[in-house]
Amino acid sequence: GAGVSQSPSNKVTEKGKDVELRCDPISGHTALYWYRQSLGQGLEFLIYFQGNSAPDKSGLPSDRFSAERTGGSVSTLTIQRTQQEDSAVYLCASSLRRGQAKNYGYTFGSGTRLTVV
Amino acid sequence: GESVGLHLPTLSVQEGDNSIINCAYSNSASDYFIWYKQESGKGPQFIIDIRSNMDKRQGQRVTVLLNKTVKHLSLQIAATQPGDSAVYFCAEKGGSGGGADGLTFGKGTHLIIQP
């Protein structure tokens, strides 16, 4: 597509439930990133995928968080047994190979606003 | 911890005035910096970047200044317009929060334009 698409745009879930957030990157972008943005905070790096390489999971806050990227395109971020502190906007970005595109080439989606009640 | 941060969480300016948004970074080895603009309900969008071999870079109505001596970055917006209302983030290549060779973002400054 023309941009990075994320779904759903809003998600309200009960504490303890699992949620899946989806990111559809720009066609041809081999790099994909997930960030978390809490209220009044900056962007917290979660995970990075580059082609078929093993993902960089160094930002995942706990083992309740996982992500996969199927076929080098769509990515799903899964949060198991959600907690209230997981409430945030989850942003996905994609780019050509990291560090080799002009301006770093990050294109962000509009995010998924997750509210855990 | 956070290696990139902002001096003020909110900045209020009169329409038509110039705005200056500041950012401090702690990684003296960082060699590339970006400013992003995030409007309500949208993802961050690239505004302007600067490499560490430069002190100043100008775009359309925006200027980024880099002071490596005190590890300070600023974004200047000339003749601020209502459409400039947004949260502005600085980001540095590397740092502690972006994964290997990724971008580390600051907390952001909310720019409010007064009519």
Coordinates of all heavy atoms in Angstrom, one line a residue, chain B residues 18-98:
Chain B
N18 N 8.4 32.9 16.2 CA 9.3 31.8 16.0 C 9.3 30.9 17.2 O 9.2 31.3 18.4 CB 10.7 32.3 15.8 CG 10.8 33.1 14.5 OD1 10.0 33.0 13.6 ND2 11.8 34.0 14.5
S19 N 9.4 29.6 17.0 CA 9.4 28.6 18.0 C 10.8 27.9 18.1 O 11.4 27.7 17.0 CB 8.4 27.5 17.8 OG 7.1 28.0 17.7
I20 N 11.3 27.6 19.3 CA 12.5 26.9 19.4 C 12.3 25.7 20.4 O 11.9 25.9 21.5 CB 13.6 27.8 20.0 CG1 13.9 29.0 19.1 CG2 14.9 27.0 20.2 CD1 14.9 30.0 19.6
I21 N 12.5 24.6 19.9 CA 12.3 23.3 20.7 C 13.7 22.7 20.9 O 14.5 22.6 20.0 CB 11.4 22.3 20.0 CG1 10.0 23.0 19.7 CG2 11.3 21.1 20.8 CD1 9.1 22.2 18.8
N22 N 14.0 22.4 22.2 CA 15.3 21.9 22.5 C 15.4 20.4 22.9 O 14.4 19.8 23.2 CB 15.8 22.7 23.7 CG 16.0 24.2 23.4 OD1 16.7 24.5 22.5 ND2 15.4 25.0 24.2
C23 N 16.5 19.9 22.7 CA 16.7 18.5 23.0 C 18.2 18.3 23.5 O 19.1 18.9 22.9 CB 16.5 17.7 21.7 SG 16.7 15.9 21.8
A24 N 18.4 17.5 24.5 CA 19.7 17.1 25.0 C 19.9 15.6 24.7 O 19.0 14.8 24.9 CB 19.8 17.5 26.4
Y25 N 21.1 15.3 24.3 CA 21.5 13.9 24.2 C 22.7 13.6 25.0 O 23.5 14.5 25.3 CB 21.7 13.5 22.7 CG 22.8 14.2 22.0 CD1 24.1 13.6 21.9 CD2 22.6 15.5 21.4 CE1 25.1 14.2 21.2 CE2 23.7 16.1 20.8 CZ 24.9 15.5 20.7 OH 26.0 16.1 20.1
S26 N 22.9 12.3 25.3 CA 24.0 12.0 26.2 C 25.1 11.2 25.5 O 26.2 11.1 26.0 CB 23.5 11.2 27.4 OG 22.8 10.0 27.0
N27 N 24.8 10.6 24.3 CA 25.8 9.8 23.7 C 26.6 10.6 22.7 O 26.2 11.0 21.6 CB 25.1 8.7 22.9 CG 26.0 7.7 22.2 OD1 27.2 7.8 22.3 ND2 25.5 6.6 21.6
S28 N 27.8 10.9 23.2 CA 28.7 11.8 22.4 C 29.1 11.1 21.1 O 29.6 11.8 20.2 CB 30.0 12.1 23.2 OG 30.6 11.0 23.6
A29 N 28.9 9.8 21.0 CA 29.3 9.1 19.7 C 28.2 9.2 18.7 O 28.4 8.8 17.5 CB 29.6 7.7 20.0
S30 N 27.0 9.7 19.0 CA 25.9 9.7 18.1 C 26.3 10.7 16.9 O 26.8 11.7 17.1 CB 24.7 10.3 18.7 OG 24.2 9.4 19.7
D31 N 26.1 10.2 15.7 CA 26.5 11.0 14.5 C 25.4 11.4 13.6 O 25.6 11.9 12.5 CB 27.6 10.2 13.7 CG 27.0 8.9 13.2 OD1 25.8 8.5 13.5 OD2 27.8 8.1 12.5
Y32 N 24.2 11.1 14.0 CA 23.0 11.4 13.2 C 21.8 11.7 14.0 O 21.5 10.9 14.9 CB 22.8 10.3 12.2 CG 21.7 10.5 11.2 CD1 21.7 11.5 10.3 CD2 20.6 9.6 11.2 CE1 20.7 11.7 9.4 CE2 19.5 9.8 10.3 CZ 19.6 10.8 9.4 OH 18.6 11.0 8.5
F33 N 21.1 12.8 13.7 CA 19.9 13.2 14.5 C 18.8 13.5 13.6 O 19.0 14.0 12.5 CB 20.3 14.4 15.4 CG 21.5 14.2 16.2 CD1 22.8 14.4 15.8 CD2 21.3 13.7 17.5 CE1 23.9 14.2 16.6 CE2 22.4 13.5 18.3 CZ 23.7 13.7 17.8
I34 N 17.6 13.3 14.0 CA 16.4 13.6 13.2 C 15.3 14.2 14.1 O 15.2 13.9 15.3 CB 15.7 12.3 12.7 CG1 16.8 11.4 11.9 CG2 14.5 12.6 11.8 CD1 16.2 10.1 11.4
W35 N 14.6 15.1 13.6 CA 13.4 15.7 14.2 C 12.2 15.1 13.5 O 12.1 15.1 12.3 CB 13.4 17.2 14.1 CG 14.3 17.9 15.2 CD1 15.5 18.4 15.0 CD2 13.9 18.1 16.5 NE1 16.0 18.9 16.2 CE2 15.1 18.8 17.1 CE3 12.8 17.9 17.3 CZ2 15.1 19.2 18.5 CZ3 12.8 18.2 18.7 CH2 14.0 18.9 19.2
Y36 N 11.2 14.7 14.4 CA 9.9 14.2 13.9 C 8.8 15.1 14.4 O 8.9 15.6 15.5 CB 9.7 12.8 14.3 CG 10.5 11.7 13.6 CD1 11.7 11.3 14.0 CD2 9.9 11.1 12.5 CE1 12.4 10.4 13.3 CE2 10.7 10.1 11.8 CZ 11.9 9.8 12.2 OH 12.6 8.8 11.5
K37 N 7.7 15.1 13.7 CA 6.5 15.8 14.1 C 5.4 14.8 14.1 O 5.2 14.0 13.2 CB 6.2 16.9 13.0 CG 4.8 17.6 13.3 CD 4.6 18.6 12.1 CE 3.2 19.3 12.3 NZ 2.9 20.2 11.1
Q38 N 4.7 14.8 15.3 CA 3.6 13.9 15.4 C 2.3 14.7 15.7 O 2.1 15.3 16.8 CB 3.8 12.9 16.5 CG 2.7 11.8 16.6 CD 3.0 10.8 17.7 OE1 3.8 11.1 18.7 NE2 2.5 9.6 17.6
E39 N 1.4 14.7 14.8 CA 0.1 15.3 14.9 C -0.8 14.3 15.6 O -0.6 13.1 15.6 CB -0.5 15.7 13.6 CG 0.4 16.8 12.9 CD -0.1 17.2 11.6 OE1 0.2 16.5 10.6 OE2 -0.8 18.2 11.4
S40 N -1.9 14.9 16.2 CA -2.8 14.1 17.0 C -3.4 12.9 16.2 O -3.9 13.1 15.1 CB -3.9 15.0 17.6 OG -4.8 14.2 18.3
G41 N -3.3 11.7 16.7 CA -3.9 10.6 16.1 C -3.1 10.0 14.9 O -3.5 9.1 14.2
K42 N -1.9 10.5 14.7 CA -1.0 10.1 13.6 C 0.3 9.6 14.1 O 0.7 9.9 15.2 CB -0.8 11.2 12.6 CG -2.1 11.7 11.9 CD -1.8 12.8 10.9 CE -3.1 13.3 10.3 NZ -2.8 14.4 9.3
G43 N 1.0 8.9 13.2 CA 2.4 8.5 13.6 C 3.4 9.7 13.3 O 3.0 10.6 12.6
P44 N 4.6 9.6 13.9 CA 5.6 10.6 13.7 C 5.9 10.7 12.2 O 6.0 9.7 11.5 CB 6.8 10.1 14.5 CG 6.2 9.2 15.5 CD 5.0 8.5 14.8
Q45 N 6.2 12.0 11.8 CA 6.6 12.2 10.4 C 8.0 12.9 10.4 O 8.2 13.8 11.2 CB 5.6 13.0 9.7 CG 4.3 12.3 9.4 CD 3.4 13.1 8.5 OE1 3.0 14.2 8.8 NE2 3.0 12.6 7.3
F46 N 8.8 12.6 9.5 CA 10.1 13.2 9.4 C 10.0 14.7 9.0 O 9.2 15.1 8.2 CB 10.9 12.5 8.2 CG 12.2 13.1 7.9 CD1 13.4 12.8 8.5 CD2 12.2 14.1 6.9 CE1 14.6 13.4 8.2 CE2 13.4 14.7 6.5 CZ 14.6 14.4 7.2
I47 N 10.8 15.5 9.7 CA 10.9 16.9 9.4 C 12.2 17.3 8.8 O 12.3 17.8 7.7 CB 10.7 17.8 10.7 CG1 9.4 17.5 11.4 CG2 10.8 19.3 10.3 CD1 9.3 18.3 12.7
I48 N 13.3 17.0 9.5 CA 14.6 17.4 9.1 C 15.6 16.6 9.9 O 15.4 16.1 11.0 CB 14.8 18.9 9.3 CG1 16.1 19.4 8.6 CG2 14.9 19.3 10.8 CD1 16.2 20.9 8.6
D49 N 16.8 16.4 9.3 CA 17.9 15.7 9.9 C 19.2 16.4 9.8 O 19.3 17.4 9.1 CB 18.0 14.3 9.3 CG 18.4 14.3 7.8 OD1 18.4 15.4 7.2 OD2 18.6 13.2 7.2
I50 N 20.1 16.0 10.6 CA 21.5 16.6 10.6 C 22.5 15.6 11.0 O 22.3 14.7 11.9 CB 21.5 17.8 11.5 CG1 22.8 18.6 11.3 CG2 21.3 17.4 13.0 CD1 22.8 20.0 12.0
R51 N 23.6 15.6 10.3 CA 24.7 14.7 10.7 C 25.7 15.5 11.6 O 25.8 16.7 11.6 CB 25.5 14.2 9.4 CG 24.5 13.4 8.6 CD 25.2 12.5 7.6 NE 24.3 11.7 6.8 CZ 23.8 10.5 7.3 NH1 24.3 10.1 8.4 NH2 23.0 9.8 6.6
S52 N 26.5 14.8 12.3 CA 27.4 15.4 13.3 C 28.5 16.2 12.8 O 29.1 17.0 13.5 CB 27.9 14.3 14.3 OG 28.7 13.4 13.5
N53 N 28.7 16.1 11.5 CA 29.8 16.9 10.9 C 29.2 18.3 10.5 O 29.9 19.1 9.8 CB 30.4 16.3 9.7 CG 29.4 16.0 8.6 OD1 28.2 16.1 8.8 ND2 29.9 15.5 7.4
M54 N 28.0 18.6 10.9 CA 27.4 19.9 10.6 C 26.9 20.5 11.9 O 26.6 19.8 12.8 CB 26.2 19.7 9.6 CG 26.5 19.0 8.3 SD 25.0 18.6 7.4 CE 24.4 20.2 7.0
D55 N 26.8 21.9 11.9 CA 26.3 22.6 13.0 C 24.9 23.1 12.8 O 24.2 23.4 13.7 CB 27.2 23.8 13.3 CG 28.6 23.4 13.7 OD1 28.7 22.4 14.4 OD2 29.5 24.1 13.3
K56 N 24.5 23.2 11.5 CA 23.3 23.8 11.2 C 22.8 23.3 9.9 O 23.5 23.0 9.0 CB 23.5 25.3 11.1 CG 22.2 26.1 10.7 CD 22.6 27.6 10.7 CE 21.4 28.5 10.3 NZ 21.7 29.9 10.3
R57 N 21.4 23.1 9.8 CA 20.8 22.7 8.5 C 19.5 23.4 8.4 O 18.7 23.4 9.4 CB 20.7 21.2 8.5 CG 20.3 20.7 7.1 CD 20.6 19.2 6.9 NE 20.4 18.9 5.5 CZ 19.7 17.8 5.1 NH1 19.2 17.0 6.0 NH2 19.5 17.6 3.8
Q58 N 19.2 23.9 7.2 CA 17.9 24.6 7.1 C 17.0 23.9 6.1 O 17.4 23.3 5.1 CB 18.2 26.0 6.6 CG 18.8 26.9 7.6 CD 18.9 28.3 7.1 OE1 19.7 28.6 6.2 NE2 18.3 29.3 7.8
G59 N 15.7 23.9 6.4 CA 14.7 23.4 5.5 C 13.7 24.5 5.3 O 14.0 25.7 5.5
Q60 N 12.5 24.1 4.9 CA 11.5 25.1 4.6 C 10.9 25.5 6.0 O 10.2 24.7 6.6 CB 10.4 24.5 3.7 CG 9.4 25.5 3.3 CD 8.4 24.9 2.3 OE1 8.2 23.7 2.3 NE2 7.8 25.8 1.5
R61 N 11.2 26.7 6.4 CA 10.7 27.3 7.7 C 11.3 26.6 8.9 O 11.0 27.0 10.1 CB 9.1 27.3 7.8 CG 8.4 28.4 7.1 CD 7.0 28.6 7.7 NE 6.2 27.4 7.8 CZ 5.8 27.0 9.0 NH1 6.1 27.6 10.1 NH2 5.0 25.9 9.0
V62 N 12.1 25.6 8.8 CA 12.7 24.9 9.9 C 14.2 24.9 9.8 O 14.8 24.9 8.7 CB 12.2 23.5 10.1 CG1 10.7 23.4 10.4 CG2 12.5 22.7 8.8
T63 N 14.8 25.0 11.0 CA 16.3 25.0 11.0 C 16.7 24.1 12.2 O 16.0 24.2 13.3 CB 16.9 26.4 11.3 OG1 16.5 27.3 10.2 CG2 18.4 26.3 11.4
V64 N 17.6 23.2 12.0 CA 18.1 22.4 13.1 C 19.5 22.9 13.4 O 20.3 23.1 12.5 CB 18.0 20.9 12.8 CG1 18.8 20.6 11.5 CG2 18.6 20.1 14.0
L65 N 19.8 23.0 14.7 CA 21.1 23.4 15.2 C 21.7 22.3 16.1 O 21.0 21.7 16.9 CB 21.0 24.7 16.0 CG 20.5 26.0 15.2 CD1 20.5 27.1 16.2 CD2 21.4 26.3 14.1
L66 N 22.9 22.0 15.9 CA 23.6 21.0 16.7 C 24.8 21.6 17.4 O 25.7 22.1 16.7 CB 24.0 19.8 15.7 CG 24.8 18.7 16.4 CD1 24.0 18.0 17.5 CD2 25.2 17.7 15.3
N67 N 24.9 21.4 18.7 CA 26.0 21.9 19.5 C 26.6 20.6 20.1 O 26.1 20.1 21.1 CB 25.6 22.9 20.5 CG 26.8 23.5 21.3 OD1 27.8 22.8 21.4 ND2 26.6 24.7 21.7
K68 N 27.7 20.1 19.5 CA 28.2 18.9 20.0 C 29.0 19.1 21.3 O 29.2 18.1 22.0 CB 29.2 18.3 18.9 CG 28.4 17.9 17.6 CD 29.3 17.3 16.6 CE 30.2 18.4 15.9 NZ 29.4 19.3 15.1
T69 N 29.4 20.3 21.5 CA 30.2 20.5 22.8 C 29.4 20.3 24.0 O 29.8 19.7 25.0 CB 30.7 22.0 22.8 OG1 31.5 22.2 21.6 CG2 31.5 22.3 24.0
V70 N 28.1 20.7 23.9 CA 27.2 20.5 25.1 C 26.1 19.5 24.8 O 25.2 19.3 25.6 CB 26.5 21.8 25.5 CG1 27.6 22.8 26.0 CG2 25.8 22.5 24.4
K71 N 26.3 18.8 23.7 CA 25.3 17.7 23.3 C 23.9 18.2 23.3 O 23.0 17.7 24.0 CB 25.6 16.5 24.2 CG 26.9 15.8 23.9 CD 27.1 14.5 24.8 CE 27.5 14.9 26.2 NZ 27.9 13.7 27.0
H72 N 23.7 19.2 22.5 CA 22.4 19.9 22.5 C 21.9 20.0 21.0 O 22.7 20.4 20.1 CB 22.5 21.2 23.1 CG 21.2 22.0 23.2 ND1 20.8 22.8 22.3 CD2 20.3 22.0 24.2 CE1 19.6 23.4 22.6 NE2 19.3 22.8 23.8
L73 N 20.7 19.8 20.8 CA 20.0 19.9 19.5 C 18.8 20.8 19.6 O 18.1 20.7 20.6 CB 19.6 18.5 19.1 CG 19.2 18.1 17.7 CD1 20.4 18.2 16.8 CD2 18.6 16.7 17.7
S74 N 18.6 21.6 18.6 CA 17.4 22.4 18.7 C 16.7 22.5 17.3 O 17.4 22.3 16.3 CB 17.7 23.8 19.2 OG 18.4 24.5 18.2
L75 N 15.4 22.7 17.4 CA 14.6 22.8 16.2 C 14.0 24.2 16.2 O 13.3 24.5 17.2 CB 13.5 21.8 16.1 CG 12.6 21.9 14.9 CD1 13.3 21.5 13.6 CD2 11.3 21.0 15.1
Q76 N 14.2 25.0 15.2 CA 13.6 26.3 15.1 C 12.6 26.3 14.0 O 12.9 25.9 12.9 CB 14.7 27.4 14.9 CG 15.8 27.4 15.9 CD 16.8 28.5 15.7 OE1 16.8 29.1 14.6 NE2 17.8 28.6 16.6
I77 N 11.4 26.8 14.4 CA 10.3 26.9 13.4 C 10.0 28.4 13.2 O 9.7 29.1 14.2 CB 9.1 26.2 13.8 CG1 9.4 24.7 14.1 CG2 8.0 26.3 12.8 CD1 8.2 23.9 14.7
A78 N 10.1 28.9 12.0 CA 9.9 30.3 11.7 C 8.4 30.6 11.4 O 7.7 29.8 10.8 CB 10.7 30.8 10.5
A79 N 8.0 31.7 11.9 CA 6.6 32.2 11.6 C 5.6 31.1 11.9 O 4.9 30.6 11.0 CB 6.5 32.7 10.2
T80 N 5.5 30.6 13.1 CA 4.7 29.5 13.5 C 3.2 29.6 13.1 O 2.6 30.7 13.2 CB 4.8 29.3 15.0 OG1 6.1 29.3 15.4 CG2 4.2 27.9 15.4
Q81 N 2.7 28.5 12.5 CA 1.3 28.5 12.0 C 0.5 27.5 12.8 O 1.1 26.6 13.4 CB 1.4 28.1 10.5 CG 2.2 29.0 9.7 CD 2.4 28.4 8.3 OE1 1.9 27.3 7.9 NE2 3.1 29.2 7.4
P82 N -0.8 27.7 12.8 CA -1.7 26.7 13.5 C -1.4 25.2 13.1 O -1.4 24.4 14.0 CB -3.1 27.1 13.1 CG -3.0 28.6 12.7 CD -1.6 28.7 12.1
G83 N -1.0 25.0 11.9 CA -0.7 23.6 11.5 C 0.6 23.1 12.1 O 0.9 21.9 11.9
D84 N 1.3 23.9 12.7 CA 2.5 23.4 13.4 C 2.3 22.8 14.8 O 3.1 22.2 15.4 CB 3.5 24.6 13.6 CG 4.1 25.1 12.3 OD1 4.2 24.4 11.3 OD2 4.3 26.4 12.2
S85 N 1.0 22.9 15.2 CA 0.7 22.3 16.5 C 0.8 20.8 16.4 O 0.3 20.1 15.6 CB -0.8 22.6 16.9 OG -1.0 24.0 17.2
A86 N 1.7 20.3 17.3 CA 2.0 18.9 17.3 C 3.0 18.6 18.4 O 3.4 19.5 19.1 CB 2.6 18.5 15.9
V87 N 3.3 17.3 18.5 CA 4.4 16.9 19.4 C 5.6 16.7 18.6 O 5.6 16.1 17.5 CB 4.1 15.6 20.2 CG1 5.3 15.2 21.1 CG2 2.8 15.9 21.1
Y88 N 6.7 17.3 19.0 CA 8.0 17.2 18.3 C 9.0 16.3 19.0 O 9.2 16.5 20.2 CB 8.6 18.6 18.0 CG 7.7 19.4 17.1 CD1 6.6 20.0 17.5 CD2 8.1 19.5 15.7 CE1 5.8 20.8 16.6 CE2 7.3 20.2 14.8 CZ 6.1 20.8 15.3 OH 5.3 21.5 14.4
F89 N 9.5 15.4 18.3 CA 10.5 14.5 18.9 C 11.9 14.6 18.2 O 11.9 14.7 17.0 CB 10.1 13.0 18.7 CG 8.8 12.6 19.4 CD1 7.6 12.6 18.8 CD2 8.9 12.1 20.7 CE1 6.5 12.2 19.4 CE2 7.7 11.7 21.4 CZ 6.5 11.8 20.7
C90 N 12.9 14.6 19.1 CA 14.2 14.4 18.5 C 14.6 12.9 18.6 O 14.0 12.2 19.4 CB 15.3 15.3 19.2 SG 15.5 14.9 21.0
A91 N 15.4 12.5 17.7 CA 15.9 11.1 17.7 C 17.3 11.1 17.3 O 17.8 11.9 16.5 CB 15.0 10.3 16.7
E92 N 18.1 10.2 17.9 CA 19.5 10.0 17.6 C 19.7 8.6 17.1 O 19.0 7.6 17.6 CB 20.4 10.3 18.8 CG 20.2 9.3 19.9 CD 21.2 9.6 21.0 OE1 22.4 10.0 20.8 OE2 20.8 9.4 22.2
K93 N 20.6 8.5 16.2 CA 21.0 7.1 15.7 C 21.8 6.5 16.8 O 22.8 7.1 17.3 CB 21.8 7.3 14.5 CG 22.4 5.9 13.9 CD 23.3 6.2 12.8 CE 24.0 4.9 12.4 NZ 25.0 5.1 11.3
G94 N 21.5 5.2 17.1 CA 22.2 4.5 18.2 C 21.6 4.9 19.5 O 20.4 4.9 19.7
G95 N 22.3 5.3 20.5 CA 21.9 5.5 21.8 C 21.5 4.2 22.5 O 21.8 3.1 22.0
S96 N 20.8 4.3 23.6 CA 20.5 3.1 24.4 C 19.2 2.5 24.1 O 18.9 1.4 24.6 CB 20.6 3.4 25.8 OG 19.7 4.4 26.2
G97 N 18.3 3.2 23.3 CA 16.9 2.7 23.3 C 16.4 2.3 21.9 O 15.2 2.2 21.7
G98 N 17.3 2.1 21.0 CA 16.7 1.8 19.7 C 17.1 0.5 19.1 O 16.9 0.2 17.9

